[in-house]
Amino acid sequence: MTYVVTENCIKCKYMDCVEVCPVDCFYAGANFLVIHPDECIDCGVCEPECPAEAIVPDSDPLATPEWLDVNAKYAQIWPNITLKGVPPADAKSWDGKPGKGAELSPEPHKD
Ligand code: SF4
Ligand code: F3S
């Protein structure tokens, strides 16, 4: 089992999640984060930290096969992230917007 970052992280990217993970298994894209499914120890500590409620266990209905695939794929491509950066200035305006999946950038995070 693993925890999964789902659609509502896109363009919110608050990054409160990364500093609490005991095994540092978050990886960062330009506007989204993922969890490495083989590194996550399923502790659940990150789930309540996300202001966008984007992190769920893989048993949750929000953890669709699509989002499981996105997490597994980009965890192998994007850089590891352990320190909270500055969220996008317009993060709040994206929180809860439907259909954000199309906005997912394949580009890696840059400091
Ligand atoms: Fe890290 Fe625990 Fe969240 Fe998995 S559930 S990503 S180990 S904080
Ligand atoms: Fe994304 Fe929530 Fe972390 S918005 S970056 S999963 S705190």
Side-chain angles (χ1 to χ4, degrees):
M1 210 175 130
T2 178
Y3 277 67
V4 187
V5 185
T6 61
E7 182 169 305
N8 204 35
C9 174
I10 296 172
K11 292 200 159 191
C12 289
K13 200 184 173 187
Y14 289 118
M15 293 173 279
D16 295 325
C17 51
V18 303
E19 297 204 351
V20 299
C21 180
V23 294
D24 296 342
C25 65
F26 282 90
Y27 294 79
N31 65 14
F32 187 66
L33 259 60
V34 294
I35 292 170
H36 196 309
D38 298 332
E39 296 176 0
C40 174
I41 57 169
D42 199 26
C43 71
V45 169
C46 57
E47 182 181 12
E49 295 297 322
C50 175
E53 298 182 2
I55 303 175
V56 296
D58 63 5
S59 55
D60 189 284
L62 283 178
T64 60
E66 177 196 359
W67 291 108
L68 289 165
D69 286 352
V70 165
N71 279 250
K73 174 182 171 184
Y74 286 110
Q76 299 192 45
I77 298 171
W78 288 344
N80 186 248
I81 181 167
T82 58
L83 296 174
K84 178 177 162 72
V86 181
D90 60 351
K92 272 207 173 128
S93 70
W94 285 95
D95 196 345
K97 268 203 180 168
K100 283 199 288 181
E103 304 285 337
L104 176 63
S105 170
E107 297 301 316
H109 170 87
K110 289 194 185 75
D111 288 317

